[in-house]
Amino acid sequence: MATQHDIALTRALAELPGPLPPSGVIHVAVPHTSRFTIVGNHLAQHAELSLVAIGIGVHIQSLPTGTEVGIKALASRFTEGETRIAAALRELEAHGYLSRTRVRLANGRLVTRTVFCNQPGAALRGGKVVTPVPLVAPAPVPAPAPLVAPAPVLVVAAPAPTPPPSPSPEPTPVPEESHPPVRVPSRTAPKAARRPLPRPRELTPELRQTASAILAGLRSHAKELVLSEDDVEALIPGVAAWLERDAHPDTIRHALTTELPQPPKHPAKIVKHRLTVLLPPPLPGAQELAPVRRALVIPLQNCDGCDRAFRATAPGHCRGCRSELTAAAA
């Protein structure tokens, strides 16, 4: 099949008048009869859009109305990731090809409405909405067969003899005040500032010696954590801050050596990060521990007269028996 195709293409090129260009593309134009989309050169040859944005724009323009064109839907269709597809959609929005708005349906649900314009800036002309060209060409109407059916001819565009095609009419410009400039969001969000390595209130010689020993001995517990002398010297204040807060050396080793990433590319950065984000709070003192207030509970007593239960701090009579004794005494 490939040999027949090459022979047919060679014969078609040989029939072209004039010499062929030594380099560059040669168009072989075969008319479409169904399943085609008309794409303007302003999109296919856009000077500011990336190749991914142009490809996604052509793909969206070829889809029928109602097709899902969200980031996840496009990522499941193409090999590009969600980050590149999201950036391409922002490019199309910035140049007016794509518009995404949040609307509320009658049932109260919020949905994203995506509108794609094949000619940005030309949707409104003279205050009237222009009917868009259908994306998919309708099925051809069968015509009566001609008397003599011509054989199919392979059309090859000749570069030199053929005059350049006349430029397509530019769309009517829209005043700038009706289209405010679109601000494209940044592709990368600003990173939060990293927290500094904790430091003790006073780096005593004892704290320095203990912290240095803990850092130098980490490779005995995790062979990946091999620190240089400069790394140990830079990380001593962080370990000293843990020791100042009454953290046991075994607790510090466990926090620095468990569940390490494999392979750890930067051991010193891993130790610094864990010393910073896992720093325990200082132990509370006696003044921080407020006394617990307990509610006074009055015990139950049995009445000496009727043997009923009542609450009192000492044995005796209940309220009814005391009333009777008072009345009898009176």
Side-chain angles (χ1 to χ4, degrees), residues 38-40 42-43 49 57-58 60-61 92-93 95-100 114-125 129-130 132-133 135 171 174 179:
I38 300 176
V39 179
H42 55 84
L43 173 60
L49 289 177
V58 174
I60 293 177
Q61 189 170 342
L92 294 173
E93 280 185 310
H95 290 85
Y97 288 95
L98 193 69
S99 174
R100 292 179 292 185
T114 304
V115 178
F116 189 88
C117 182
N118 65 335
Q119 294 189 35
L124 295 177
R125 295 179 179 175
V129 179
V130 179
V133 180
L135 299 180
V174 180
H179 290 274

Short mmCIF file of all heavy atoms in Angstrom, two decimals, residues 38-40 42-43 49 57-58 60-61 92-93 95-100 114-125 129-130 132-133 135 171 174 179:
data_model
loop_
_atom_site.label_atom_id
_atom_site.label_comp_id
_atom_site.label_asym_id
_atom_site.label_seq_id
_atom_site.Cartn_x
_atom_site.Cartn_y
_atom_site.Cartn_z
N ILE A 38 -14.36 24.56 9.44
CA ILE A 38 -13.71 25.73 8.84
C ILE A 38 -13.00 26.49 9.95
O ILE A 38 -13.62 26.94 10.92
CB ILE A 38 -14.73 26.62 8.14
CG1 ILE A 38 -15.44 25.84 7.02
CG2 ILE A 38 -14.05 27.86 7.56
CD1 ILE A 38 -16.54 26.62 6.35
N VAL A 39 -11.69 26.62 9.84
CA VAL A 39 -10.86 27.30 10.84
C VAL A 39 -10.16 28.46 10.16
O VAL A 39 -9.54 28.28 9.10
CB VAL A 39 -9.83 26.33 11.46
CG1 VAL A 39 -8.98 27.07 12.48
CG2 VAL A 39 -10.54 25.16 12.11
N GLY A 40 -10.27 29.64 10.75
CA GLY A 40 -9.61 30.82 10.18
C GLY A 40 -8.12 30.81 10.43
O GLY A 40 -7.62 30.26 11.43
N HIS A 42 -6.46 33.28 11.29
CA HIS A 42 -6.14 34.10 12.45
C HIS A 42 -5.95 33.25 13.70
O HIS A 42 -5.27 33.66 14.63
CB HIS A 42 -7.23 35.14 12.68
CG HIS A 42 -8.60 34.55 12.83
ND1 HIS A 42 -9.09 34.05 14.01
CD2 HIS A 42 -9.59 34.35 11.91
CE1 HIS A 42 -10.32 33.58 13.84
NE2 HIS A 42 -10.65 33.76 12.56
N LEU A 43 -6.55 32.03 13.72
CA LEU A 43 -6.32 31.10 14.83
C LEU A 43 -5.21 30.12 14.50
O LEU A 43 -4.31 29.89 15.32
CB LEU A 43 -7.61 30.35 15.17
CG LEU A 43 -7.50 29.21 16.20
CD1 LEU A 43 -6.99 29.75 17.53
CD2 LEU A 43 -8.84 28.51 16.39
N LEU A 49 -0.26 32.97 20.22
CA LEU A 49 -0.73 31.77 20.90
C LEU A 49 0.30 30.66 20.79
O LEU A 49 1.01 30.54 19.78
CB LEU A 49 -2.06 31.29 20.30
CG LEU A 49 -3.30 32.14 20.59
CD1 LEU A 49 -4.50 31.58 19.86
CD2 LEU A 49 -3.58 32.21 22.08
N GLY A 57 -7.76 25.13 20.64
CA GLY A 57 -8.77 25.98 20.04
C GLY A 57 -9.41 25.34 18.82
O GLY A 57 -10.63 25.38 18.65
N VAL A 58 -8.60 24.73 17.96
CA VAL A 58 -9.14 24.04 16.79
C VAL A 58 -9.99 22.86 17.20
O VAL A 58 -11.06 22.59 16.63
CB VAL A 58 -7.99 23.61 15.85
CG1 VAL A 58 -8.52 22.75 14.71
CG2 VAL A 58 -7.26 24.82 15.31
N ILE A 60 -11.70 22.45 20.09
CA ILE A 60 -12.97 22.91 20.66
C ILE A 60 -13.90 23.40 19.55
O ILE A 60 -15.11 23.15 19.58
CB ILE A 60 -12.70 24.01 21.70
CG1 ILE A 60 -11.95 23.44 22.91
CG2 ILE A 60 -14.00 24.66 22.16
CD1 ILE A 60 -11.58 24.47 23.95
N GLN A 61 -13.34 24.08 18.54
CA GLN A 61 -14.18 24.59 17.46
C GLN A 61 -14.80 23.45 16.65
O GLN A 61 -15.86 23.60 16.06
CB GLN A 61 -13.35 25.49 16.54
CG GLN A 61 -14.17 26.23 15.51
CD GLN A 61 -13.37 27.29 14.79
OE1 GLN A 61 -12.32 27.70 15.28
NE2 GLN A 61 -13.85 27.73 13.65
N LEU A 92 -6.36 31.33 25.33
CA LEU A 92 -7.52 31.54 24.46
C LEU A 92 -8.47 32.57 25.06
O LEU A 92 -9.08 33.36 24.33
CB LEU A 92 -8.25 30.20 24.25
CG LEU A 92 -7.48 29.13 23.45
CD1 LEU A 92 -8.25 27.82 23.47
CD2 LEU A 92 -7.25 29.59 22.02
N GLU A 93 -8.60 32.58 26.39
CA GLU A 93 -9.44 33.60 27.02
C GLU A 93 -8.84 34.98 26.85
O GLU A 93 -9.56 35.95 26.60
CB GLU A 93 -9.59 33.28 28.52
CG GLU A 93 -10.62 32.22 28.83
CD GLU A 93 -10.82 32.04 30.32
OE1 GLU A 93 -9.82 31.87 31.04
OE2 GLU A 93 -11.98 32.06 30.78
N HIS A 95 -7.10 36.17 24.47
CA HIS A 95 -7.21 36.67 23.09
C HIS A 95 -8.65 36.64 22.58
O HIS A 95 -8.87 36.84 21.37
CB HIS A 95 -6.30 35.85 22.16
CG HIS A 95 -4.84 36.10 22.39
ND1 HIS A 95 -4.12 35.43 23.37
CD2 HIS A 95 -3.97 36.95 21.80
CE1 HIS A 95 -2.87 35.84 23.35
NE2 HIS A 95 -2.75 36.76 22.43
N GLY A 96 -9.62 36.39 23.44
CA GLY A 96 -11.02 36.54 23.08
C GLY A 96 -11.67 35.34 22.43
O GLY A 96 -12.85 35.41 22.06
N TYR A 97 -10.96 34.23 22.28
CA TYR A 97 -11.57 33.06 21.66
C TYR A 97 -12.48 32.30 22.62
O TYR A 97 -13.45 31.69 22.21
CB TYR A 97 -10.48 32.10 21.15
CG TYR A 97 -9.76 32.59 19.93
CD1 TYR A 97 -8.55 33.26 20.04
CD2 TYR A 97 -10.28 32.40 18.65
CE1 TYR A 97 -7.87 33.74 18.93
CE2 TYR A 97 -9.62 32.87 17.53
CZ TYR A 97 -8.41 33.54 17.68
OH TYR A 97 -7.76 33.99 16.57
N LEU A 98 -12.19 32.36 23.91
CA LEU A 98 -12.89 31.55 24.89
C LEU A 98 -13.42 32.45 26.00
O LEU A 98 -12.77 33.44 26.37
CB LEU A 98 -11.96 30.48 25.48
CG LEU A 98 -12.60 29.36 26.30
CD1 LEU A 98 -13.41 28.46 25.39
CD2 LEU A 98 -11.53 28.56 27.02
N SER A 99 -14.59 32.11 26.51
CA SER A 99 -15.20 32.85 27.62
C SER A 99 -15.83 31.85 28.56
O SER A 99 -16.61 30.99 28.14
CB SER A 99 -16.25 33.84 27.11
OG SER A 99 -16.93 34.44 28.21
N ARG A 100 -15.45 31.92 29.86
CA ARG A 100 -15.98 31.01 30.87
C ARG A 100 -16.60 31.83 31.99
O ARG A 100 -15.92 32.66 32.60
CB ARG A 100 -14.88 30.09 31.41
CG ARG A 100 -14.36 29.08 30.40
CD ARG A 100 -13.27 28.20 30.96
NE ARG A 100 -12.05 28.94 31.23
CZ ARG A 100 -10.90 28.39 31.63
NH1 ARG A 100 -10.85 27.09 31.83
NH2 ARG A 100 -9.83 29.13 31.84
N THR A 114 -19.23 27.73 29.02
CA THR A 114 -18.10 27.98 28.15
C THR A 114 -18.61 28.38 26.76
O THR A 114 -19.42 27.67 26.17
CB THR A 114 -17.21 26.74 28.04
OG1 THR A 114 -16.81 26.34 29.35
CG2 THR A 114 -15.96 27.03 27.22
N VAL A 115 -18.14 29.52 26.27
CA VAL A 115 -18.52 30.03 24.95
C VAL A 115 -17.25 30.19 24.13
O VAL A 115 -16.28 30.81 24.58
CB VAL A 115 -19.27 31.37 25.05
CG1 VAL A 115 -19.62 31.90 23.66
CG2 VAL A 115 -20.53 31.23 25.89
N PHE A 116 -17.23 29.59 22.94
CA PHE A 116 -16.08 29.70 22.03
C PHE A 116 -16.50 30.50 20.81
O PHE A 116 -17.52 30.21 20.18
CB PHE A 116 -15.59 28.32 21.60
CG PHE A 116 -14.30 28.36 20.84
CD1 PHE A 116 -13.09 28.31 21.51
CD2 PHE A 116 -14.28 28.45 19.46
CE1 PHE A 116 -11.91 28.35 20.82
CE2 PHE A 116 -13.10 28.50 18.76
CZ PHE A 116 -11.90 28.44 19.44
N CYS A 117 -15.74 31.54 20.49
CA CYS A 117 -16.02 32.42 19.35
C CYS A 117 -14.98 32.16 18.28
O CYS A 117 -13.77 32.28 18.54
CB CYS A 117 -16.01 33.88 19.78
SG CYS A 117 -16.40 35.03 18.44
N ASN A 118 -15.44 31.81 17.05
CA ASN A 118 -14.48 31.52 15.99
C ASN A 118 -13.83 32.77 15.42
O ASN A 118 -12.79 32.70 14.77
CB ASN A 118 -15.16 30.72 14.86
CG ASN A 118 -16.23 31.56 14.16
OD1 ASN A 118 -16.78 32.49 14.75
ND2 ASN A 118 -16.53 31.22 12.93
N GLN A 119 -14.44 33.96 15.65
CA GLN A 119 -13.86 35.22 15.21
C GLN A 119 -13.99 36.23 16.34
O GLN A 119 -15.01 36.90 16.47
CB GLN A 119 -14.55 35.75 13.95
CG GLN A 119 -14.34 34.89 12.71
CD GLN A 119 -14.85 35.57 11.45
OE1 GLN A 119 -14.75 36.78 11.33
NE2 GLN A 119 -15.37 34.79 10.54
N PRO A 120 -13.00 36.34 17.21
CA PRO A 120 -13.09 37.29 18.33
C PRO A 120 -13.27 38.71 17.83
O PRO A 120 -12.66 39.15 16.88
CB PRO A 120 -11.74 37.11 19.04
CG PRO A 120 -11.25 35.79 18.61
CD PRO A 120 -11.75 35.58 17.22
N GLY A 121 -14.14 39.45 18.49
CA GLY A 121 -14.37 40.84 18.13
C GLY A 121 -15.39 41.03 17.04
O GLY A 121 -15.74 42.17 16.72
N ALA A 122 -15.91 39.96 16.43
CA ALA A 122 -16.88 40.10 15.35
C ALA A 122 -18.21 39.45 15.69
O ALA A 122 -19.00 39.18 14.80
CB ALA A 122 -16.32 39.49 14.07
N ALA A 123 -18.48 39.16 16.95
CA ALA A 123 -19.74 38.52 17.32
C ALA A 123 -20.91 39.49 17.22
O ALA A 123 -22.04 39.10 16.96
CB ALA A 123 -19.66 37.95 18.74
N LEU A 124 -20.63 40.79 17.45
CA LEU A 124 -21.68 41.80 17.35
C LEU A 124 -21.35 42.73 16.20
O LEU A 124 -20.25 43.29 16.14
CB LEU A 124 -21.79 42.60 18.66
CG LEU A 124 -22.25 41.81 19.89
CD1 LEU A 124 -22.23 42.73 21.10
CD2 LEU A 124 -23.63 41.26 19.67
N ARG A 125 -22.28 42.92 15.29
CA ARG A 125 -22.11 43.82 14.14
C ARG A 125 -23.37 44.66 14.00
O ARG A 125 -24.44 44.15 13.75
CB ARG A 125 -21.87 43.02 12.86
CG ARG A 125 -20.57 42.22 12.90
CD ARG A 125 -20.38 41.42 11.62
NE ARG A 125 -19.13 40.67 11.65
CZ ARG A 125 -18.76 39.82 10.71
NH1 ARG A 125 -19.53 39.60 9.67
NH2 ARG A 125 -17.60 39.19 10.80
N VAL A 129 -26.87 40.38 16.64
CA VAL A 129 -26.06 39.19 16.83
C VAL A 129 -25.94 38.46 15.51
O VAL A 129 -26.93 38.18 14.84
CB VAL A 129 -26.67 38.27 17.90
CG1 VAL A 129 -25.85 37.02 18.07
CG2 VAL A 129 -26.80 39.02 19.21
N VAL A 130 -24.71 38.15 15.11
CA VAL A 130 -24.46 37.44 13.86
C VAL A 130 -24.65 35.96 14.10
O VAL A 130 -24.12 35.40 15.05
CB VAL A 130 -23.05 37.75 13.34
CG1 VAL A 130 -22.79 37.00 12.05
CG2 VAL A 130 -22.88 39.25 13.14
N PRO A 132 -23.82 32.31 14.06
CA PRO A 132 -22.55 31.64 13.83
C PRO A 132 -22.64 30.59 12.74
O PRO A 132 -23.69 30.01 12.49
CB PRO A 132 -22.24 30.99 15.19
CG PRO A 132 -23.58 30.82 15.82
CD PRO A 132 -24.42 31.98 15.35
N VAL A 133 -21.52 30.35 12.08
CA VAL A 133 -21.45 29.32 11.05
C VAL A 133 -21.47 27.97 11.72
O VAL A 133 -20.78 27.75 12.72
CB VAL A 133 -20.17 29.50 10.22
CG1 VAL A 133 -20.09 28.44 9.13
CG2 VAL A 133 -20.14 30.89 9.61
N LEU A 135 -20.55 24.37 12.98
CA LEU A 135 -19.22 23.78 13.09
C LEU A 135 -19.07 22.57 12.19
O LEU A 135 -18.02 22.34 11.60
CB LEU A 135 -18.96 23.39 14.55
CG LEU A 135 -18.99 24.55 15.53
CD1 LEU A 135 -18.72 24.03 16.93
CD2 LEU A 135 -17.95 25.59 15.15
N PRO A 171 -12.51 41.22 10.26
CA PRO A 171 -13.77 41.51 10.95
C PRO A 171 -13.87 42.97 11.34
O PRO A 171 -12.85 43.66 11.50
CB PRO A 171 -13.73 40.60 12.18
CG PRO A 171 -12.29 40.34 12.40
CD PRO A 171 -11.66 40.33 11.03
N VAL A 174 -14.15 46.30 16.87
CA VAL A 174 -15.06 46.68 17.95
C VAL A 174 -14.36 47.71 18.81
O VAL A 174 -13.16 47.58 19.07
CB VAL A 174 -15.45 45.44 18.79
CG1 VAL A 174 -16.41 45.82 19.91
CG2 VAL A 174 -16.07 44.39 17.88
N HIS A 179 -14.58 46.15 25.13
CA HIS A 179 -13.82 44.96 25.49
C HIS A 179 -12.67 45.38 26.39
O HIS A 179 -11.60 45.77 25.89
CB HIS A 179 -13.28 44.25 24.25
CG HIS A 179 -14.36 43.59 23.43
ND1 HIS A 179 -14.81 42.32 23.70
CD2 HIS A 179 -15.09 44.04 22.39
CE1 HIS A 179 -15.76 42.00 22.84
NE2 HIS A 179 -15.94 43.02 22.04
#
